[in-house]
Amino acid sequence: LAKTTQPISMDSYEGQEVNITCSHNNIATNDYITWYQQFPSQGPRFIIQGYKTKVTNEVASLFIPADRKSSTLSLPRVSLSDTAVYYCLVGDIGRGSTLGRLYFGRGTQLTVWP
Amino acid sequence: GAVVSQHPSWVICKSGTSVKIECRSLDFQATTMFWYRQFPKQSLMLMATSNEGSKATYEQGVEKDKFLINHASLTLSTLTVTSAHPEDSSFYICSARERGALSVSSTDTQYFGPGTRLTVL
């Protein structure tokens, strides 16, 4: 199982772009990269998922270099409500996979200041 | 988007009693559901994988006789904490796996429930 390493905490100000980098040096060929956001006393919320290159949706972008040993979650123009813990996970979740289990690391506590 | 619900959202019980937590996928069918536990200031810990119509697969160190999991239908999985003790007090979260579209490159995304706060006195 690929282990991930993220910064424990990050600080930012409203309106800034935030980039959170995750290292996953032993990612397997079948592994996808998924990011979740969690607020206190709530279940994690799916943000974005990718396999390679760049993925963008309405809330974030995910950049994955060619070697896939790291990934960067980019949050454009953060607001106070983006203060949360962000988790990077890797796992075999391709369609048809009989596994799909996700193992959470410590995550990154992002604090957005006014 | 895919919605997963949990019931109850919180429960307080006496030591020695059993507590059942329900996890439902509201707008999709989930052949696989997962149960996690989270202690304060810690990350989520995967407890077990629940497959519809078959026995759950427990992670190492999780007592299967204490945490009973039933996945009777494609939209419902239950976790029963038997003979609960104060050390079982935690935040229990389920997730359901939504099947991707019929394409080679699609993935199965996991969506999480809102969690259940269990307090054992």
Side-chain angles (χ1 to χ4, degrees):
Chain A
L1 296 168
K3 182 179 178 179
T4 60
T5 302
Q6 308 173 229
I8 294 176
S9 63
M10 292 183 69
D11 291 291
S12 182
Y13 292 96
E14 282 190 293
Q16 290 189 333
E17 178 185 76
V18 172
N19 296 307
I20 306 175
T21 298
C22 177
S23 297
H24 27 80
N25 291 316
N26 58 339
I27 187 170
T29 302
N30 294 334
D31 286 343
Y32 285 76
I33 301 157
T34 311
W35 286 79
Y36 286 89
Q37 173 194 57
Q38 187 183 29
F39 298 110
S41 296
Q42 293 186 28
R45 183 177 76 102
F46 173 84
I47 301 175
I48 198 166
Q49 185 177 87
Y51 184 81
K52 61 181 179 181
T53 63
K54 176 183 176 182
V55 180
T56 298
N57 61 21
E58 62 274 11
V59 298
S61 295
L62 178 59
F63 299 91
I64 306 168
D67 65 7
R68 304 202 324 123
K69 294 183 182 299
S70 67
S71 60
T72 299
L73 174 71
S74 180
L75 304 172
R77 296 182 297 281
V78 294
S79 63
L80 297 177
S81 61
D82 292 318
T83 294
V85 178
Y86 292 81
Y87 294 99
C88 161
L89 298 100
V90 294
D92 183 0
I93 56 171
R95 193 177 191 285
S97 168
T98 58
L99 300 175
R101 289 171 290 182
L102 295 177
Y103 296 91
F104 284 75
R106 295 185 62 180
T108 298
Q109 171 66 58
L110 172 65
T111 303
V112 180
W113 302 93
Chain B
V3 179
V4 177
S5 70
Q6 281 185 241
H7 178 80
S9 56
W10 59 270
V11 57
I12 301 173
C13 69
K14 293 182 178 180
S15 184
T17 61
S18 294
V19 175
K20 179 184 284 188
I21 302 170
E22 291 186 350
C23 176
R24 294 181 185 273
S25 56
L26 297 185
D27 49 3
F28 66 100
Q29 293 185 331
T31 55
T32 306
M33 291 184 172
F34 304 87
W35 287 95
Y36 297 80
R37 181 167 55 179
Q38 186 175 33
F39 293 107
K41 303 294 184 182
Q42 294 187 24
S43 185
L44 285 78
M45 184 190 77
L46 179 64
M47 298 175 67
T49 302
S50 170
N51 292 298
E52 186 264 337
S54 63
K55 290 184 178 180
T57 302
Y58 291 82
E59 296 295 307
Q60 191 172 10
V62 178
E63 301 176 59
K64 60 179 67 176
D65 294 331
K66 182 168 185 62
F67 300 99
L68 302 179
I69 293 172
N70 186 296
H71 193 157
S73 76
L74 287 173
T75 60
L76 173 65
S77 176
T78 61
L79 168 68
T80 302
V81 183
T82 63
S83 187
H85 288 93
E87 57 266 30
D88 297 322
S89 298
S90 188
F91 192 52
Y92 291 86
I93 309 170
C94 73
S95 70
R97 189 180 174 196
E98 181 183 33
R99 299 311 300 274
L102 290 174
S103 69
V104 174
S105 62
S106 64
T107 60
D108 297 350
T109 302
Q110 260 188 62
Y111 294 96
F112 287 79
T116 298
R117 175 76 59 192
L118 170 63
T119 301
V120 184
L121 303 177

